[in-house]
Amino acid sequence: MGRTRGHTQDVEDVVRSANEAFKSWSTTPFGERVDKILQWKHLYEPHIEDFTKLLVAECGKPRPLRMPEEQIEDDTRIAITRHVPVGVITTIYPWNFPLVLFIRKILPALLTGCSIVVKPSPFTPYSVLKMVELAQKVFPPGVVQVIGGDDSIGPALVQHPDINKVTFTRSNATGKRIMASAAVTLKRKAKQVLETT
């Protein structure tokens, strides 16, 4: 999908396509998934300056833009988090830091073999639309999709029975509404934490 405004029928279309894509993407060997992500990264790199300008114009973020890094370890042990594919994931987040939030949510989903439907903020959709456009040049059809729109799109995605997991970054009030909606179809988390010494 490449629109900034979607409709509830678009939700049906992207969820159906994502579920079809999940069948083969979830069984694609890990190394091939990594290769696809690296291909996408190589497509993105020549456009870093373009994305920087777009983010500054779209949501007023100052330069420089940096991607956060996370590591889970201490002096005695390292915790390894293993994610397993659960199906189609939808991600919903606010207007600020759209690419940072997008990347932090989409990469684990892709690496574990999930397909994903992204719902950006209607206030800052353009950088995410462009990034998904690049992703769709690399990944199989339906693996990475984006759908924008008004306040009806988020609930339609969250309540859809073929969406297996919801990830969101919003206020507590929005989080409570999303959790209540997701509970109807029992969205689940899939994460295994392994500790090594």
Side-chain angles (χ1 to χ4, degrees):
M1 300 296 295
R3 305 177 192 167
T4 58
R5 296 289 178 189
H7 303 283
T8 53
Q9 182 55 50
D10 294 322
V11 170
E12 292 299 325
D13 294 341
V14 297
V15 171
R16 185 182 314 110
S17 178
N19 272 287
E20 280 301 311
F22 173 73
K23 293 173 186 174
S24 59
W25 183 247
S26 63
T27 60
T28 299
F30 183 78
E32 289 184 31
R33 292 183 208 151
V34 171
D35 288 342
K36 289 291 185 187
I37 289 172
L38 290 176
Q39 289 176 41
W40 182 23
K41 174 180 175 266
H42 294 317
L43 282 176
Y44 162 74
E45 285 175 334
H47 302 284
I48 289 175
E49 180 63 19
D50 296 332
F51 276 105
T52 301
K53 289 178 181 176
L54 184 58
L55 282 168
V56 169
E58 186 174 45
C59 55
K61 293 301 173 195
R63 296 166 176 263
L65 299 174
R66 292 172 38 178
M67 300 298 284
E69 293 182 4
E70 293 183 63
Q71 188 171 358
I72 303 171
E73 65 179 289
D74 61 25
D75 293 338
T76 60
R77 62 183 175 216
I78 299 172
I80 300 170
T81 302
R82 176 173 295 152
H83 297 269
V84 295
V86 296
V88 178
I89 294 175
T90 191
T91 178
I92 301 168
Y93 44 86
W95 66 271
N96 55 341
F97 299 104
L99 277 187
V100 171
L101 293 169
F102 168 75
I103 293 296
R104 287 180 70 183
K105 292 174 183 297
I106 195 172
L107 288 181
L110 293 174
L111 284 171
T112 57
C114 296
S115 50
I116 189 161
V117 177
V118 179
K119 164 63 173 76
S121 165
F123 302 110
T124 55
Y126 300 110
S127 55
V128 172
L129 286 169
K130 189 63 181 174
M131 187 64 89
V132 170
E133 180 183 322
L134 293 179
Q136 289 177 341
K137 293 181 179 181
V138 174
F139 296 98
V143 170
V144 180
Q145 298 180 84
V146 61
I147 182 170
D150 61 22
D151 290 343
S152 67
I153 300 301
L157 285 167
V158 170
Q159 295 170 7
H160 200 288
D162 291 328
I163 293 285
N164 300 90
K165 186 173 180 179
V166 176
T167 173
F168 66 92
T169 302
R170 288 277 176 103
S171 66
N172 287 342
T174 301
K176 288 177 182 177
R177 287 195 303 272
I178 288 174
M179 286 174 26
S181 295
V184 174
T185 52
L186 294 175
K187 307 300 183 196
R188 63 181 186 265
K189 296 179 182 177
K191 184 168 68 171
Q192 298 173 344
V193 178
L194 306 177
E195 288 192 358
T196 60
T197 55

